[in-house]
Amino acid sequence: MIKRILKSVREFKKPTIITFILMVGEALIECVIPFLTATLMNKINAGIKLEELLILGAILIAMAIASLICGGLAGVTSAKASSGLAKNLRSDLFKKVQGFSFGNVDKFSSTSLVTRLTTDVANIQMSYLMCIRMAVRAPLMFIFSIVMSYVMGGIMSTVFVIAVPILTFGLIFVAKKAMPAFRRVFKKYDKLNESIEENVRGMRVVKGFSREDYEKEKFKKASEDICNDFTKAERIVALNTPIMQVCLYIIMVFTLSMGSYLVITTTGSKLDVGHLSALLTYGMQILMSLMMLSMIFVMVSMSLESMRRVDEVLEEKSTLTNCENPVYAISDGSIRFENVNFKYFAESENNALSGVNLSIESGMTVGVLGGTGSGKSTLVQLIPRLYDVSEGAVFVGGKNVKEYDLETLRDNVAMVLQKNLLFSGTIRENLKWGNKNATDEELIEACQFAQAHEFISAFPDGYDTYIEQGGTNVSGGQKQRLCIARALLKKPKVLILDDSTSAVDTKTDALIRKAFKEYIPETTKIIIAQRIASVSDADMIIVMNNGRVMDYGTHDQLMERNEIYRETYYEQTQGGKDDE
């Protein structure tokens, strides 16, 4: 797991290595300084010439400056390395998510993926920063200080070594107790973010039903739940400090007492004042190193759960992949469903689609009707391989969709989804999602056919009008027409409209359908609709119920033989007139 995450370091290996070298230099210098200080104190005690004093003083100052420079530069290089890791890791995660199928996204949920790309990566960044600085410096300081303390204080330095297993035991205890708490917190973060996203997206509904107080209370409870879990985890982690402090003070008191006793009783023959001073400094360095290691341990313990969550995404294999030798050209827009069964999850008991057999010729206009949950959207999502069939096969242009290169297939199958989405940016930028090289004339032509040019021209900035995130500054009908124009610019082999004219009036709907025949006569057009009037002139109308194709044919054929279709028609045209 760690190896996979560290692959994202890439071009930031150099600042990482430089940080390591600087940390080694800083640790080495800081361990030599107490030795020189002790030497200076002993020489002053014994009587030292001014020249020698100045030389030793200058050396100490130079070493202090060198240590400061090493630490400062390490701060710069470590920040660059950790920020670079986070940048690359986010990029790798984002690229990975872009290759996911709808099934993969459903598995994680969109809010969980956002949390992993933000909070979890930030935790990993902080952990990496600490590891390349403190995790290098602390062990080196510990080893150097232990060696130098034995040089200066002999057997008395053993007390420092005794403290290590006590602290290690404390750290292991803290980790075992804290990790499950952190794991619970991150799962709750996903749910909290999901609640926020749901609330923001549904703000109009919340306000429409005056449910602000209910939503505030719901958020407060979720936030308090996370706070309580974090408090429990932090309470456990906080045990590190008292354990460290107890060891620190006990050892310092012991060293100072025994050291002072030896200095006085042996008149400096076994331990002099300089050596005692150095021993205390090394003791402090040893314990501070252990304190730093405990901080690293806590941070790594927190980030391990983040690493696991990020690694889950990096290791996830898309359920949709290209075959060995994919086809890069689609001959026409003919479509065939052959004994198709489909379920969203392999473990599901019931199929979302069952026994679908259909044949659609290239250039046909096909209507799809059915009640909520009848499988209409599921059916059309199999054509561009947003999902793969569980059994059977779907053919486009005479070939199984699994034989095509995914990008080629989706470039030739344009979809206007049930939930229309516009991105923040100008109308022109949004339209060019359909064709990035489209000229202004082509944009205007597509918008005229989609009945969008008139309202775009009414905006002060026309096609340069800025669309807010999610298209909140345009109406539902305007958003639908812009999405249709965007799809028309692709001039695809297959055009799918998933209830994409529900927010426009019947007159505009009829004009759009008329434009399809003129603008893309050779394109196969599949229109999912609630109104029979929207598909009554289609070459074929498919009636669906409970994931099955109940019947298909022309309007007249279905009026004659299909009771469900006939009843629906009369309900919608009560009195013999349509909504018009």
Side-chain angles (χ1 to χ4, degrees):
M1 177 181 74
I2 293 172
K3 281 183 180 179
R4 278 189 293 271
I5 289 171
L6 289 179
K7 285 180 181 177
S8 297
V9 175
R10 293 198 288 276
E11 71 271 24
F12 296 96
K13 284 180 183 176
K14 185 178 177 180
T16 300
I17 294 167
I18 291 172
T19 302
F20 177 83
I21 294 168
L22 290 169
M23 285 294 96
V24 172
E26 185 186 27
L28 188 60
I29 292 167
E30 287 197 11
C31 285
V32 172
I33 286 174
F35 177 79
L36 290 176
T37 304
T39 303
L40 181 61
M41 287 177 67
N42 289 335
K43 287 196 174 186
I44 291 172
N45 206 25
I48 187 174
K49 292 181 180 179
L50 181 61
E51 293 82 3
E52 195 176 353
L53 177 65
L54 291 173
I55 291 169
L56 281 171
I59 292 170
L60 281 170
I61 292 170
M63 293 189 78
I65 293 171
S67 176
L68 183 65
I69 291 171
C70 285
L73 290 175
V76 174
T77 55
S78 62
K80 187 176 181 180
S82 59
S83 299
L85 168 67
K87 178 189 75 111
N88 287 345
L89 192 54
R90 283 196 187 96
S91 177
D92 293 344
L93 283 169
F94 190 75
K95 286 176 184 175
K96 188 76 177 183
V97 171
Q98 293 303 301
F100 281 175
S101 66
F102 280 14
N104 295 115
V105 175
D106 292 343
K107 175 183 174 181
F108 289 104
S109 86
S110 57
T111 49
S112 177
L113 289 171
V114 169
T115 305
R116 293 170 201 239
L117 275 157
T118 51
T119 305
D120 288 326
V121 171
N123 285 339
I124 293 170
Q125 177 184 350
M126 183 58 68
S127 179
Y128 186 70
L129 177 67
M130 292 182 76
C131 284
I132 61 176
R133 286 199 69 187
M134 293 172 68
V136 173
R137 186 178 186 276
L140 288 174
M141 285 287 291
F142 177 78
I143 294 166
F144 291 160
S145 297
I146 286 283
V147 171
M148 292 304 293
S149 66
Y150 268 101
V151 170
M152 306 299 287
I155 195 69
M156 199 173 74
S157 303
T158 307
V159 68
F160 300 130
V161 180
I162 294 171
V164 175
I166 298 170
L167 293 170
T168 303
F169 175 79
L171 291 175
I172 292 170
F173 170 78
V174 167
K176 282 187 176 180
K177 293 289 184 182
M179 280 300 290
F182 285 125
R183 193 170 289 117
R184 286 196 304 273
V185 166
F186 284 115
K187 287 180 180 177
K188 288 177 181 178
Y189 258 132
D190 289 344
K191 290 183 180 178
L192 183 69
N193 287 342
E194 190 174 336
S195 175
I196 294 168
E197 183 187 30
E198 187 180 63
N199 181 272
V200 172
R201 286 182 179 275
M203 187 61 71
R204 287 175 174 80
V205 178
V206 173
K207 291 187 177 297
F209 284 88
S210 299
R211 298 285 281 176
E212 292 93 338
D213 290 339
Y214 170 79
E215 288 295 318
K216 286 176 188 175
E217 188 62 31
K218 188 173 78 170
F219 179 83
K220 182 182 175 183
K221 285 180 181 177
S223 187
E224 283 178 351
D225 200 15
I226 289 177
C227 178
N228 291 335
D229 272 359
F230 247 129
T231 302
K232 288 176 185 176
E234 293 292 349
R235 196 180 296 151
I236 296 166
V237 167
L239 291 173
N240 272 327
T241 303
I243 292 170
M244 290 296 304
Q245 293 290 350
V246 167
C247 289
L248 174 66
Y249 294 132
I250 289 174
I251 291 170
M252 286 297 102
V253 168
F254 175 82
T255 305
L256 192 57
S257 301
M258 288 298 296
S260 300
Y261 176 77
L262 286 173
V263 170
I264 294 168
T265 56
T266 64
T267 62
S269 60
K270 287 188 177 180
L271 188 72
D272 54 32
V273 175
H275 286 163
L276 176 60
S277 173
L279 191 60
L280 286 169
T281 304
Y282 286 127
M284 186 65 73
Q285 286 181 347
I286 289 167
L287 292 171
M288 291 310 295
S289 299
L290 291 171
M291 181 76 84
M292 281 192 278
L293 285 171
S294 72
M295 290 170 61
I296 296 163
F297 189 81
V298 170
M299 189 63 220
V300 170
S301 296
M302 287 178 63
S303 64
L304 273 174
E305 181 60 21
S306 291
M307 289 182 198
R308 185 190 64 78
R309 285 159 54 84
V310 166
D311 188 58
E312 278 181 351
V313 179
L314 293 174
E315 277 294 280
E316 179 73 9
K317 302 294 183 187
S318 177
T319 55
L320 303 177
T321 53
N322 279 342
C323 61
E324 241 179 79
N325 297 300
V327 177
Y328 290 93
I330 298 177
S331 58
D332 57 53
S334 61
I335 301 167
R336 190 169 84 253
F337 288 82
E338 197 173 274
N339 301 318
V340 169
N341 292 322
F342 172 74
K343 56 177 68 174
Y344 284 100
F345 303 102
E347 61 273 15
S348 300
E349 292 183 11
N350 300 319
N351 288 332
L353 293 174
S354 299
V356 177
N357 285 283
L358 286 169
S359 184
I360 301 169
E361 294 177 15
S362 183
M364 286 179 70
T365 298
V366 179
V368 184
L369 296 172
T372 303
S374 60
K376 305 184 298 294
S377 296
T378 305
L379 180 78
V380 297
Q381 286 175 357
L382 298 179
I383 298 170
R385 283 192 77 194
L386 297 181
Y387 293 97
D388 265 343
V389 298
S390 303
E391 295 175 15
V394 178
F395 297 85
V396 172
K399 293 186 182 294
N400 191 319
V401 290
K402 293 181 181 179
E403 296 179 29
Y404 289 113
D405 169 64
L406 265 173
E407 189 174 341
T408 300
L409 176 65
R410 291 173 183 171
D411 272 343
N412 284 275
V413 179
M415 284 193 75
V416 183
L417 296 170
Q418 196 169 10
K419 293 181 180 178
N420 296 286
L421 180 64
L422 294 174
F423 296 90
S424 52
T426 65
I427 289 176
R428 188 188 310 277
E429 289 168 347
N430 270 277
L431 292 172
K432 285 196 172 186
W433 275 65
N435 178 5
K436 63 182 180 181
N437 299 315
T439 62
D440 287 350
E441 291 74 19
E442 288 173 322
L443 294 179
I444 292 169
E445 185 183 27
C447 288
Q448 285 173 336
F449 282 119
Q451 307 303 306
H453 179 67
E454 187 177 342
F455 78 77
I456 293 172
S457 301
F459 290 136
D461 294 325
Y463 283 81
D464 292 314
T465 299
Y466 189 83
I467 299 292
E468 301 294 341
Q469 186 178 18
T472 54
N473 58 332
V474 291
S475 70
Q478 290 172 336
K479 194 188 297 184
Q480 285 187 337
R481 282 175 278 172
L482 286 172
C483 290
I484 291 169
R486 182 171 63 188
L488 288 174
L489 280 166
K490 290 185 79 171
K491 296 187 178 178
K493 294 285 195 300
V494 179
L495 174 65
I496 300 169
L497 290 96
D498 188 353
D499 201 16
S500 303
T501 56
S502 57
V504 301
D505 59 83
T506 51
K507 181 181 178 181
T508 304
D509 186 14
L511 289 170
I512 291 171
R513 283 184 281 116
K514 181 184 176 184
F516 288 164
K517 293 179 180 178
E518 296 175 5
Y519 189 64
I520 45 173
E522 295 179 2
T523 296
T524 304
K525 298 160 282 287
I526 300 176
I527 304 169
I528 295 176
Q530 300 295 331
R531 298 180 296 211
I532 288 180
S534 298
V535 294
S536 59
D537 60 347
D539 301 309
M540 178 194 293
I541 300 170
I542 300 167
V543 181
M544 297 194 69
N545 188 39
N546 293 327
R548 294 181 178 275
V549 175
M550 305 305 293
D551 203 350
Y552 59 87
T554 63
H555 172 72
D556 293 337
Q557 289 170 339
L558 292 173
M559 284 292 291
E560 184 179 337
R561 69 174 183 243
N562 191 286
E563 187 177 345
I564 296 174
Y565 183 85
R566 191 165 52 247
E567 286 178 359
T568 305
Y569 176 77
Y570 286 131
E571 284 174 4
Q572 291 183 2
T573 58
Q574 194 172 13
K577 293 183 180 179
D578 196 8
D579 298 333
E580 294 176 293

